[in-house]
Amino acid sequence: MTRPFYRHYLSTLVLVLLSCACLVCVFVYIVDPYNLYGAVRRENFNAVKPGLSRYQSQIKHAHALRLQPRFIILGNSRAEIGFDPRASAFGLIHGAGYNMGIPGTVMATAISQFAQLSQAGIKPGTVIVGLEFIDFLKPAIAQPERMEAQSGHAHGFWRFDTLFSLASVKDALTTLRIQHDRQAITIAPDGFNPALEFGAHAVRDGYYKVFKHRAQKSAARFVKMSKADFADGDFQAMHDFLVAMSATQADIKLVIYPYHAQMLTLFEGAGLWPLFDEWKRRVVLEVAAVKKQYPSARISVTDFSGFGSYNCEMIPAEKQRDGSTRWYWEAGHFKKALGDIVMLRVMTQKESAPVDGQFGMPLTGATLAANRDRIAAERSACVAAQPQMFLFSKKLFARPLEDAPTDK
């Protein structure tokens, strides 16, 4: 091969490779699977976006920077699929919020998200935080400390990777494919996950099996948790988080998730109930401490846990494959319908509890005892309505539990 021909061959090859790279970038840019560019948005083409499976925090942060929301929702998957920023409860700021919830994350993620927004000059007037009791638990047997693996990528490499990578091309093709798929995992422009895949699982397997599977996974995790104390530093981290939010003059609304009653029976069966009650007391103490330090701080805590009419929704029997639920996908995740009610209670906070079974009890030092009595009374009614649910949990802890993956 002569030198001129060799040079021509290399030039042609480089040109072809550069052309292919440009085509890939243009394709991903136009389809926009992560809703980062907004160059083209057409129904039946790319209006429906696939759920985020990578760079979730970075992408949601970029969305929030662009939208500059007047309120944000922080939390894990319970918040992401349960709290819709477009719920009518938000009144005049309806549609002006963003759901920053990320599945499987803990409070440290929410703290980081809020800090990054503040550093960028974004200061939402209202911050709704889903409080996860499970995040404050620690393993009964100390686990070896794991070092965070360093990616080695420069800060912002995700921008390049979301535009030019095989994964991005795959997600772009997925975007084109799911435009009419009513069972696909998707995410709305405001960060809300409509949980279409949950509905697909329920239709395929039946709600009984879905609830049972969730209960088994949760029980296997709970039995490994300490019954004596909480994880080190979590309450101090929450205190610092509340201080940081209060410094922005935000209206802070802390929400104790409306776990299904089955989840609470698992807390009982695993011996975690005393800690659950103590956790609420500690949360209230931290809020009171911040308010004492910053008298102008606006912080509320609302407890949606319990055994009330919503929480104790009937689980369809095993033979009821066509049976459905109105409020819950399974014990760990509630539907948007219930999330809308939760948001209504949170956004119209009153000093007294709601009249319909006290769903959404404002928690302060003065209401802790009444809240405890409320839950005890609701439990008695729930046992009478669904004795088989309590019996199931009792039997579940009577035999060895298999290891199960963690998710929230």
Side-chain angles (χ1 to χ4, degrees):
M1 184 180 293
T2 63
R3 180 170 296 182
F5 181 81
Y6 182 71
R7 288 178 178 175
H8 177 73
Y9 173 79
L10 285 180
S11 299
T12 302
L13 179 61
V14 169
L15 182 61
V16 170
L17 291 176
L18 287 176
S19 299
C20 290
C22 289
L23 287 175
V24 166
C25 291
V26 169
F27 175 65
V28 173
Y29 182 83
I30 292 176
V31 177
D32 195 10
Y34 311 117
N35 196 25
L36 291 172
Y37 312 113
V40 177
R41 186 185 185 282
R42 293 182 181 176
E43 295 296 329
N44 304 318
F45 173 62
N46 70 340
V48 178
K49 306 296 184 182
L52 301 176
S53 59
R54 61 194 194 115
Y55 299 121
Q56 294 163 300
S57 184
Q58 293 93 330
I59 291 173
K60 285 206 165 188
H61 177 69
H63 290 173
L65 289 181
R66 183 177 70 239
L67 296 173
Q68 299 193 13
R70 295 174 63 183
F71 69 91
I72 59 173
I73 298 169
L74 299 169
N76 54 27
S77 61
R78 308 191 208 285
E80 188 191 44
I81 72 173
F83 299 150
D84 184 357
R86 300 190 65 82
S88 60
F90 293 106
L92 295 177
I93 58 174
H94 164 270
Y98 190 76
N99 187 326
M100 301 194 71
I102 298 177
T105 57
V106 296
M107 180 169 287
T109 300
I111 294 173
S112 175
Q113 288 176 311
F114 184 82
Q116 290 177 31
L117 287 180
S118 296
Q119 291 170 6
I122 306 297
K123 297 182 178 180
T126 300
V127 181
I128 299 168
V129 183
L131 290 182
E132 181 61 76
F133 163 62
I134 301 169
D135 287 348
F136 288 74
L137 301 177
K138 67 178 181 181
I141 300 177
Q143 302 294 314
E145 195 169 321
R146 294 187 301 177
M147 298 296 294
E148 288 285 339
Q150 298 299 317
S151 66
H153 295 147
H155 180 75
F157 171 81
W158 72 272
R159 280 284 188 181
F160 170 79
D161 198 41
T162 52
L163 180 64
F164 183 64
S165 66
L166 289 177
S168 299
V169 173
K170 179 182 177 181
D171 287 340
L173 292 173
T174 298
T175 302
L176 301 178
R177 178 178 57 81
I178 66 171
Q179 294 306 303
H180 300 285
D181 187 347
R182 299 301 301 168
Q183 299 181 356
I185 301 175
T186 63
I187 184 172
D190 55 18
F192 177 67
N193 178 352
L196 300 180
E197 73 279 12
F198 276 77
H201 292 324
V203 170
R204 184 184 67 240
D205 301 328
Y207 274 92
Y208 175 87
K209 187 174 180 179
V210 173
F211 268 83
K212 180 180 178 180
H213 180 62
R214 162 62 59 176
Q216 291 172 332
K217 291 174 66 176
S218 297
R221 182 185 182 194
F222 295 163
V223 294
K224 298 177 182 178
M225 296 299 177
S226 170
K227 316 300 186 292
D229 200 3
F230 299 101
D232 298 333
D234 281 356
F235 286 103
Q236 182 60 51
M238 186 179 74
H239 178 95
D240 296 341
F241 186 26
L242 294 176
V243 169
M245 289 189 289
S246 298
T248 67
Q249 305 300 313
D251 186 3
I252 307 160
K253 300 180 183 297
L254 306 180
V255 176
I256 297 177
Y257 290 120
Y259 305 104
H260 188 275
Q262 186 187 61
M263 183 67 75
L264 301 192
T265 67
L266 299 179
F267 290 169
E268 292 178 336
L272 296 173
W273 190 265
L275 275 185
F276 187 41
D277 192 57
E278 173 63 12
W279 172 72
K280 295 178 185 179
R281 188 185 74 84
R282 294 279 296 274
V283 168
V284 169
L285 287 177
E286 292 297 342
V287 170
V290 173
K291 284 185 173 181
K292 184 177 181 180
Q293 185 177 0
Y294 299 93
S296 63
R298 294 178 294 164
I299 312 173
S300 64
V301 185
T302 311
D303 185 6
F304 290 93
S305 70
F307 296 88
S309 57
Y310 293 112
N311 312 86
C312 195
E313 180 176 26
M314 184 69 68
I315 301 173
E318 185 172 10
K319 296 180 179 179
Q320 293 179 298
R321 288 294 301 275
D322 295 331
S324 185
T325 58
R326 183 178 181 183
W327 309 118
Y328 291 88
W329 295 114
E330 29 84 343
H333 293 90
F334 49 93
K335 296 182 178 182
K336 166 182 156 55
L338 185 59
D340 286 354
I341 295 174
V342 170
M343 290 297 97
L344 181 62
R345 299 298 161 84
V346 167
M347 296 304 295
T348 57
Q349 186 74 46
K350 296 180 180 179
E351 293 302 318
S352 59
V355 296
D356 58 340
Q358 298 182 325
F359 182 66
M361 185 84 165
L363 279 194
T364 65
T367 63
L368 280 170
N371 189 52
R372 194 177 298 113
D373 293 341
R374 165 189 71 87
I375 292 176
E378 289 176 353
R379 186 184 186 282
S380 297
C382 189
V383 170
Q386 291 202 71
Q388 71 282 358
M389 179 178 66
F390 289 81
L391 181 61
F392 169 80
S393 295
K394 185 176 180 179
K395 290 181 177 179
L396 193 59
F397 288 97
R399 60 178 183 270
L401 293 163
E402 297 179 357
D403 289 345
T406 298
D407 62 341
K408 288 182 287 187

